[in-house]
Amino acid sequence: MASVNPFNLSDSEEEAERRPNETVDTERSPSDGAPGPPPGNPFSPPADAEPPTLLLSSNRTSPSGEGISFSAAATSAMAGSGETRVSVDVIAAQLLRDQYILTALEFHTELLEAGRELPRLRDYFSNPGNFERQSGTPPAKDQVLGPGGPLIMTVGRLLCGGKRINRAGSISTLDSLDFARYSDDGNRESDERVAVLEFELRKAKETIQALRANLTQAAESEVPSQERKNFKSSPEIQEPIRPLEKRALNFLVNEYLLKNEYKLSSITFSDENDDQDFELWDDVGLNIPKPPDLLQLYRNCGTPLPSPRSTQQTEVVQELEYQISLLNNEKQSLAEQIKKLQRCVHECIFVFTVVTFFFVPCWLRCLRKLSPAFQQALLSFCRMCSDSRLGAEVSRIADSEESVMLMLGRCLPHIVPNVLLAKREELIPLILCTACLHPEPKERDQLLHILFNLIKRPDDEQRQMILTGCVAFARHVGPTRVEAELLPQCWEQINHKYPERRLLVAESCGALAPYLPKEIRSSLVLSMLQQMLTEDKADMVREAVVKSLGIIMGYIDDPDKYSQGFELMLLSLGDPSERVVSAVHQVFIPAFAAWTTELGTLHTALIPSLLARIEKLLMQGEHGLDEHKLHVFLSALQSLIPPLFAVVLQNAPFTSRAKLHGDIPRRFPKPASPLQDVAAIIGSREMLSALLLLYDHQLEHEGTTGWDSLLWVVNQLLPQLIEIVGRINVTSSTCVHEFSRFFWRFCRTFGKIFTNTKVKPQFQEILRLSEENVDASAGNGILTKATVPIYATGVLTCYNQEEDRKLLVGFLEDVMTTLSLSHAPLDSLKASFVELGANPVYHELLLTVLWYGVVHTSALVRCTAARMFELVLRGMSEALVDRRAAPALITLCSGPEFSVRISTIPAFGTIMETVTQKELLERVKMQLASFLEDPQYQDQHSLHMEIIRTFGRVGPNAEPRFRDEFVLPHLHKLALANNSQAVESKRIDIATQLFEAYSALSCCFISEEVMVNHFLPGLRCLRTDMEQLSPEHEVILSSMIKECEIKVENRGMADAQGSMSIASSLVGEDAKTKFLSKMGQLTTSGAMLANVFQRKK
């Protein structure tokens, strides 16, 4: 008889027609997303599905209605043919086709023992494919196999080598098992597998008992027929709800809440019904079809419209009959499940017997009659340790979530110290999870203590991990436990000796701020951070404290804490560390400003308080301004410009008319941090764009009527700022720069229309350009104050269009002309040129202004222009100097006025100091030589003074050749000529300037020839003057001369020997040191030396 494939056998044409579709589903790849059995309760298949059967192969036949049982086949065969016997192969094929796999296995074993191996059974049990799923999405074992499924799969794995079967030639099957391995040698694998089988069998029995109890409860919950009649006859008596009905209604209610966005209510409802899984309908009951949702039930069976009483009774009867049918279906399904489970138990018992026969050693199968004492003594020879802590933990396996948490709480304190420091952050998830779920507060406290002390000096990445864990812990446990469990850990480490640990505390306070109770956030945490800010010596810790304070200010809601926040802002702004001050501007001030905006005190309290402190500082600093404090207050004001502008926009009359737009014009200066971005303060870039369009339109066409916040800026803030500007010292470049930058950011933020219509008119009203306006004797010297440079550099440079540049050029020209003609001090003009000259963008513009002065008809204006060249040449490109600056200076030198020519000398000196172009240097050298050698300048005392002063300033930095061949020889000539000066005042002035020049040049390297021919003779001439004018300075000069002579002698000796000795160089350095130390004992400024000479008269 030909071999028959049991998977191709069918009992009916209907099954043959259905199998191709099943084959398609079976061969579908995982990527096709073949649907598997629905998850959920393994004993509640869908209502339209076949009852589950025991499957070990990928194909499936029904053992129930369509299949023919083994006994039926045998009976029919015997009845049909009297003496005819059914062949063994037909029986095997029938068993395999009907999926009686265990019976087939027993049959195969008996045939093997009888020496009659059947090829069909041998091929079937040798094929690993018959014991694994083929679908792309494997279903749960219990869904396919029923309650005994795990045991059957275990048997399949044991028969196929004890591991998951893969399609490979080396897989061990029943034929290839090495039964010698399972002999009486005491191998532990057999013990383990027997234990697994016993466990699976026990679980199956427990499942059967649970199902029986469930079925009993369902049957008992049915209302007796008499009571049901009472309910029907008395509708006002409500039938008590059954457990199944309650679970079904709970599921539908939860589904309704989720579909209609009642998420919080759904969460609360789920928490109150924690014994039910709302994710799966199968959790409701066994084999119960899911009814329609609540909305559908309401539409179909909801509140009925007024209708005859008979219609209502009919609907009630139909509903009750439907419920009865559901219960009957449930009862029938449970009964079928119990029958199948009982069959599974019997089959599992058989399998356990078979496996025990094959794999369990004889000494285990045969129960010995040993006394318990003897058994205990015998087992004592096993090397086990349960009397130690670790042994006790190992021998006590956790059997629930709570016991796992308890075990982790006991073991982690012993694990952490033995983990490498570099890898301890790997323990953070374990520590946090245990601390969250552990039931004992003392153990939780110990675990959190371990977390904060996990690493001795955590680096940045490790601190981030710990902070991330703390935030996750806070989200999970809520504010109360954060206050009670996490904050004490921070408080303990606040004075730790390692700054990294204190840094972790500072960062934790900010990270935990959103999860703390508001009372704790504004009291305890704020006090902790304040203490660390005032006491901690580490810059990085104070920086983190300031950032955390900013976060606290973002969540604080107690208006009484405003004054404390303001004092903290001033305290942190005065910190000596730049990184701390930077954190104040980036985080603290924006967050504090946002809070004051909500309180409505930004422009009524915060900004006025800072302005009052600036005014008080200026009032106290008449004899010496504290520039650092001024910088602190002004920088704080500058950081408040973006939130102030946001307040103006948000309180504008047009705010309600804003419509979202796209791009934002690039009008704002780059913010110091994202928190100072106006778009972030407003809420979105689109909203800001819409508000800006309406803002510009309102200013240009409708004005500021009813716009209180902008009127405060125009009528109170701006006048007060301009008045403060007029009181600062114009010679303080730092103050001028700070206020200039403030006004620049202020005007750029509020826009060009605001600047042109509100800011510039107020400055122009004060800066009326006339000679009367610089009459200092009349108390009206506004053009000589810092208002001029701040207006020029802070307001007129905000926008760089052609009309703006023309306005700036015209203003500077008018100021230069007015100050020159009125003989007023030029400090305000110099401050303007210095501030603008620092930016190469304005070099061409400044040269345009200076050329206006060069060609001016007044010698006073030309003289002022010549002096301004010295300020702008530094940092200017050589091409621009050669093309525009040098010709302008030479033009000034060709004028008839000696004062104008003398005013050009400092500028020529600056060119000699900064330019390397040879042709340009030669032209400058020729011009300076004409000043020194032309007879018409021989008696020009002021010219000689200016040249000597310039040589002393530029000589050390000038080209060595220029210094040796031009500067030192001419200084020698001037010193020699000064010896014969008849006018003593002029002689004193020249000697003073020569002393300073030689003091500066003495530190330069000077060749021996120049030293002998010019430097030493010049010093000797100067000493001759000092002998008569100042013996103190004569001592210094004598020391200088002596050291220079020693230096020359040492060089001569070195030249004679062919090289310079180390000792001579050391002597030279020693001479320089002695000279500088002596110079430090005497003030060498021109004014002080002049006073000394006057006392000697």
Side-chain angles (χ1 to χ4, degrees):
M1 183 176 65
S3 62
V4 179
N5 188 342
F7 298 102
N8 293 331
L9 296 177
S10 62
D11 296 332
S12 64
E13 294 181 359
E14 180 182 357
E15 182 178 354
E17 292 174 0
R18 186 173 66 250
R19 184 171 290 109
N21 295 332
E22 295 178 354
T23 304
V24 173
D25 292 339
T26 301
E27 297 176 355
R28 185 176 300 167
S29 65
S31 61
D32 296 333
N41 193 326
F43 304 111
S44 56
D48 56 349
E50 290 182 354
T53 60
L54 292 171
L55 298 180
L56 287 179
S57 66
S58 59
N59 294 2
R60 186 174 68 135
T61 57
S62 173
S64 55
E66 296 175 359
I68 302 175
S69 67
F70 165 66
S71 59
T75 304
S76 62
M78 294 175 63
S81 59
E83 298 293 329
T84 304
R85 298 183 61 185
V86 180
S87 67
V88 176
D89 188 80
V90 173
I91 296 173
Q94 186 67 27
L95 290 173
L96 294 177
R97 186 185 64 183
D98 290 344
Q99 292 294 300
Y100 294 111
I101 305 301
L102 297 176
T103 306
L105 175 61
E106 184 179 5
F107 188 38
H108 177 54
T109 305
E110 293 175 353
L111 289 176
L112 285 176
E113 292 176 352
R116 299 173 57 194
E117 184 179 18
L118 190 63
R120 180 188 297 278
L121 295 176
R122 179 197 62 199
D123 295 340
Y124 182 83
F125 290 109
S126 299
N127 183 9
N130 296 329
F131 301 93
E132 64 179 0
R133 297 287 300 174
Q134 299 296 325
S135 60
T137 305
K141 291 184 288 185
D142 290 353
Q143 290 174 334
V144 179
L145 302 177
L151 178 60
I152 305 304
M153 294 304 293
T154 302
V155 174
R157 288 196 294 270
L158 289 174
L159 294 177
C160 297
K163 55 185 177 181
R164 179 170 292 280
I165 302 171
N166 296 317
R167 294 189 179 277
S170 62
I171 296 298
S172 61
T173 60
L174 186 64
D175 297 336
S176 61
L177 284 175
D178 184 7
F179 288 94
R181 291 191 307 158
Y182 306 103
S183 63
D184 296 342
D185 58 356
N187 194 311
R188 286 187 299 175
E189 286 190 4
S190 61
D191 298 345
E192 294 172 355
R193 291 174 180 173
V194 169
V196 169
L197 291 173
E198 290 176 346
F199 174 77
E200 298 284 357
L201 180 59
R202 185 170 66 254
K203 297 297 288 186
K205 290 180 178 179
E206 291 175 358
T207 303
I208 293 173
Q209 293 297 330
L211 285 173
R212 286 176 174 170
N214 195 2
L215 180 60
T216 302
Q217 182 180 2
E220 290 176 354
S221 64
E222 291 184 359
V223 182
S225 58
Q226 183 62 37
E227 293 183 10
R228 191 177 296 120
K229 292 179 181 179
N230 294 337
F231 293 139
K232 289 183 179 180
S233 61
S234 302
E236 66 275 8
I237 303 176
Q238 185 177 4
E239 182 180 358
I241 188 169
R242 301 185 183 94
L244 180 65
E245 294 174 342
K246 180 179 179 181
R247 296 174 68 84
L249 288 175
N250 286 348
F251 186 94
L252 294 177
V253 169
N254 184 71
E255 182 183 51
Y256 168 80
L257 293 174
L258 286 176
K259 284 184 179 180
N260 292 274
E261 298 300 321
Y262 297 109
K263 295 182 179 179
L264 294 178
S265 300
S266 173
I267 294 172
T268 305
F269 189 75
S270 300
D271 292 339
E272 293 176 348
N273 297 275
D274 55 354
D275 59 338
Q276 184 172 349
D277 184 7
F278 289 99
E279 299 291 333
L280 298 173
W281 168 257
D282 292 338
D283 184 70
V284 173
L286 296 176
N287 201 23
I288 302 300
K290 181 178 179 298
D293 56 19
L294 286 181
L295 179 61
Q296 193 66 27
L297 290 175
Y298 173 80
R299 289 174 176 171
N300 295 336
C301 307
T303 305
L305 296 174
S307 59
R309 184 176 183 83
S310 58
T311 304
Q312 296 180 0
Q313 293 178 350
T314 302
E315 292 176 353
V316 171
V317 169
Q318 291 176 352
E319 177 64 23
L320 292 175
E321 289 176 350
Y322 172 74
Q323 294 293 337
I324 292 171
S325 64
L326 290 180
L327 290 175
N328 289 332
N329 292 334
E330 180 184 5
K331 180 178 178 181
Q332 183 180 359
S333 175
L334 289 173
E336 292 176 358
Q337 291 290 338
I338 290 175
K339 291 179 181 178
K340 290 176 182 177
L341 287 175
Q342 290 175 341
R343 187 178 63 183
C344 289
V345 169
H346 293 308
E347 293 172 345
C348 291
I349 292 173
F350 170 74
V351 172
F352 177 74
T353 304
V354 173
V355 174
T356 302
F357 177 82
F358 279 106
F359 300 107
V360 178
C362 298
W363 64 274
L364 282 180
R365 276 182 274 154
C366 300
L367 298 178
R368 299 282 302 276
K369 296 181 179 180
L370 299 176
S371 67
F374 184 83
Q375 287 183 351
Q376 185 176 0
L378 182 63
L379 294 177
S380 66
F381 287 94
C382 299
R383 298 183 60 84
M384 294 186 296
C385 178
S386 59
D387 53 352
S388 64
R389 179 196 60 81
L390 185 58
E393 295 293 349
V394 172
S395 62
R396 180 173 51 187
I397 302 298
D399 57 357
S400 65
E401 292 183 2
E402 183 177 358
S403 60
V404 171
M405 290 299 105
L406 293 173
M407 181 270 294
L408 288 173
R410 293 190 302 268
C411 293
L412 277 174
H414 303 279
I415 295 173
V416 171
N418 299 301
V419 178
L420 292 175
L421 287 175
K423 294 296 181 182
R424 284 193 179 177
E425 62 268 19
E426 300 291 340
L427 294 171
I428 294 176
L430 199 59
I431 295 173
L432 284 169
C433 182
T434 308
C436 284
L437 302 177
H438 202 285
E440 296 295 332
K442 184 177 179 181
E443 295 295 331
R444 294 200 301 266
D445 182 74
Q446 182 183 8
L447 289 169
L448 292 176
H449 181 76
I450 291 174
L451 176 66
F452 275 81
N453 294 273
L454 189 64
I455 304 168
K456 181 184 292 185
R457 307 183 74 164
D459 57 24
D460 186 61
E461 183 177 354
Q462 291 168 335
R463 286 196 310 275
Q464 290 181 11
M465 285 297 158
I466 295 174
L467 288 177
T468 304
C470 290
V471 171
F473 178 89
R475 284 201 302 260
H476 187 273
V477 303
T480 304
R481 281 185 59 183
V482 173
E483 175 191 353
E485 299 177 13
L486 269 184
L487 276 187
Q489 302 298 331
C490 296
W491 182 260
E492 289 179 4
Q493 310 251 345
I494 195 172
N495 292 316
H496 200 279
K497 64 178 181 178
Y498 292 131
E500 291 84 359
R501 299 279 278 277
R502 303 196 303 272
L503 181 60
L504 177 62
V505 173
E507 292 173 339
S508 299
C509 290
L512 296 175
Y515 309 99
L516 290 168
K518 61 180 183 179
E519 299 82 5
I520 297 298
R521 191 164 49 217
S522 58
S523 57
L524 176 61
V525 178
L526 195 61
S527 300
M528 289 172 57
L529 292 174
Q530 184 174 4
Q531 177 182 341
M532 297 183 72
L533 181 63
T534 55
E535 297 179 359
D536 206 293
K537 296 180 180 180
D539 293 351
M540 61 179 182
V541 176
R542 297 198 306 277
E543 179 187 11
V545 167
V546 167
K547 292 181 179 178
S548 294
L549 281 172
I551 298 174
I552 293 291
M553 291 301 153
Y555 286 91
I556 202 169
D557 55 0
D558 184 2
D560 296 336
K561 296 294 180 180
Y562 166 79
S563 58
Q564 185 178 0
F566 182 74
E567 293 302 326
L568 286 173
M569 181 187 73
L570 296 181
L571 177 64
S572 54
L573 282 171
D575 195 278
S577 173
E578 291 185 3
R579 59 191 297 178
V580 176
V581 176
S582 177
V584 177
H585 291 291
Q586 292 178 5
V587 183
F588 186 91
I589 292 181
F592 189 61
W595 184 35
T596 57
T597 300
E598 295 179 16
L599 296 176
T601 58
L602 176 65
H603 60 286
T604 60
L606 181 56
I607 294 178
S609 298
L610 290 173
L611 291 174
R613 279 168 169 75
I614 292 176
E615 290 181 334
K616 182 179 179 181
L617 192 65
L618 293 174
M619 190 178 301
Q620 296 174 349
E622 294 179 356
H623 303 290
L625 179 64
D626 189 343
E627 294 184 355
H628 175 69
K629 284 189 177 180
L630 180 64
H631 166 72
V632 166
F633 297 142
L634 197 58
S635 62
L637 271 180
Q638 185 171 312
S639 296
L640 292 175
I641 292 175
L644 177 62
F645 183 65
V647 169
V648 170
L649 290 180
Q650 291 170 339
N651 294 278
F654 51 77
T655 303
S656 59
R657 307 197 308 267
K659 297 180 181 179
L660 298 183
H661 289 272
D663 298 334
I664 302 176
R666 294 186 177 181
R667 57 179 289 174
F668 298 108
K670 185 178 179 180
S673 77
L675 296 178
Q676 291 189 6
D677 188 357
V678 181
I681 300 173
I682 293 295
S684 69
R685 306 190 73 82
E686 294 77 10
M687 177 58 70
L688 177 58
S689 177
L691 291 175
L692 287 178
L693 290 176
L694 295 172
Y695 169 79
D696 291 338
H697 182 271
Q698 181 86 12
L699 285 177
E700 191 171 6
H701 301 289
E702 301 180 19
T704 59
T705 304
W707 199 347
D708 295 338
S709 55
L710 187 65
L711 287 174
W712 177 85
V713 173
V714 174
N715 298 331
Q716 297 186 42
L717 178 62
L718 268 177
Q720 191 173 1
L721 286 171
I722 295 174
E723 191 271 335
I724 290 174
V725 163
R727 295 166 56 185
I728 69 172
N729 186 3
V730 69
T731 59
S732 174
S733 59
T734 302
C735 294
V736 171
H737 176 72
E738 292 289 340
F739 273 97
S740 173
R741 188 172 61 173
F742 171 83
F743 272 97
W744 187 88
R745 296 184 72 89
F746 179 83
C747 294
R748 287 287 298 183
T749 302
F750 277 80
K752 187 172 184 179
I753 298 176
F754 179 86
T755 303
N756 291 335
T757 59
K758 306 299 179 185
V759 180
K760 289 181 181 179
Q762 293 197 33
F763 272 98
Q764 291 167 358
E765 183 180 357
I766 296 175
L767 297 171
R768 293 186 297 271
L769 296 173
S770 64
E771 295 185 17
E772 293 79 7
N773 211 21
V774 294
D775 186 4
S777 61
N780 188 14
I782 191 67
L783 288 183
T784 62
K785 297 184 180 296
T787 310
V788 170
I790 291 172
Y791 174 62
T793 61
V795 178
L796 296 181
T797 61
C798 292
Y799 301 95
N800 202 24
Q801 296 181 358
E802 187 62 29
E803 60 270 19
D804 302 309
R805 296 175 70 87
K806 287 182 178 179
L807 185 60
L808 176 59
V809 169
F811 175 74
L812 292 176
E813 290 175 351
D814 293 342
V815 170
M816 181 171 63
T817 303
T818 304
L819 293 177
S820 300
L821 296 178
S822 59
H823 299 277
L826 301 177
D827 293 332
S828 60
L829 185 64
K830 289 181 180 179
S832 302
F833 272 77
V834 169
E835 188 70 20
L836 291 172
N839 190 348
V841 173
Y842 297 107
H843 286 171
E844 288 272 6
L845 183 145
L846 293 176
L847 289 175
T848 301
V849 175
L850 291 178
W851 183 253
Y852 167 82
V854 169
V855 299
H856 199 278
T857 56
S858 171
L860 295 173
V861 178
R862 295 201 302 275
C863 187
T864 300
R867 294 195 176 278
M868 293 300 109
F869 270 103
E870 178 188 2
L871 304 175
V872 301
L873 287 175
R874 297 184 184 277
M876 189 177 290
S877 65
E878 293 190 9
L880 199 58
V881 173
D882 184 37
R883 179 165 51 88
R884 297 194 62 181
L889 289 172
I890 294 175
T891 301
L892 289 173
C893 291
S894 62
E897 296 85 359
F898 283 105
S899 60
V900 176
R901 299 179 187 180
I902 294 172
S903 299
T904 62
I905 293 175
F908 282 122
T910 302
I911 293 177
M912 298 299 297
E913 188 179 11
T914 58
V915 174
T916 59
Q917 189 177 352
K918 291 184 178 181
E919 295 181 358
L920 181 57
L921 290 175
E922 285 299 324
R923 287 158 57 190
V924 172
K925 184 178 177 181
M926 290 175 58
Q927 186 62 51
L928 291 175
S930 67
F931 288 149
L932 291 168
E933 299 172 0
D934 195 328
Q936 62 177 331
Y937 302 114
Q938 186 175 359
D939 298 329
Q940 293 295 325
H941 175 73
S942 58
L943 183 142
H944 294 158
M945 288 281 295
E946 195 65 53
I947 286 182
I948 297 172
R949 186 183 299 110
T950 301
F951 281 173
R953 176 173 59 86
V954 306
N957 301 319
E959 186 183 11
R961 182 181 176 186
F962 171 74
R963 181 175 61 242
D964 294 343
E965 296 181 359
F966 188 81
V967 174
L968 291 176
H970 283 92
L971 284 178
H972 178 203
K973 292 180 181 179
L974 291 170
L976 183 61
N978 197 49
N979 291 149
S980 58
Q981 176 62 253
V983 182
E984 187 173 358
S985 60
K986 293 182 178 180
R987 187 178 180 186
I988 292 173
D989 293 339
I990 295 295
T992 302
Q993 294 300 325
L994 285 173
F995 184 85
E996 293 187 356
Y998 274 111
S999 300
L1001 291 169
S1002 64
C1003 296
C1004 301
F1005 176 79
I1006 303 173
S1007 64
E1008 181 181 357
E1009 180 181 359
V1010 176
M1011 179 76 73
V1012 173
N1013 295 333
H1014 300 293
F1015 194 79
L1016 277 173
L1019 283 177
R1020 293 188 182 105
C1021 294
L1022 181 59
R1023 184 176 60 179
T1024 302
D1025 291 333
M1026 291 300 182
E1027 286 176 352
Q1028 303 176 12
L1029 300 173
S1030 176
E1032 296 178 1
H1033 292 82
E1034 187 269 335
V1035 173
I1036 297 175
L1037 287 172
S1038 298
S1039 177
M1040 291 174 60
I1041 293 171
K1042 184 177 180 180
E1043 298 296 340
C1044 291
E1045 289 174 347
I1046 293 173
K1047 195 180 295 185
V1048 172
E1049 291 177 3
N1050 290 335
R1051 287 180 183 177
M1053 293 173 60
D1055 291 340
Q1057 296 174 359
S1059 65
M1060 181 179 294
S1061 65
I1062 298 177
S1064 63
S1065 63
L1066 291 176
V1067 171
E1069 292 298 326
D1070 184 60
K1072 183 189 299 184
T1073 304
K1074 289 181 180 179
F1075 168 72
L1076 291 176
S1077 64
K1078 291 179 180 179
M1079 287 295 296
Q1081 299 172 3
L1082 184 65
T1083 304
T1084 57
S1085 65
M1088 292 298 295
L1089 285 175
N1091 293 335
V1092 172
F1093 299 150
Q1094 292 294 333
R1095 287 196 297 269
K1096 293 296 180 181
K1097 288 176 66 176

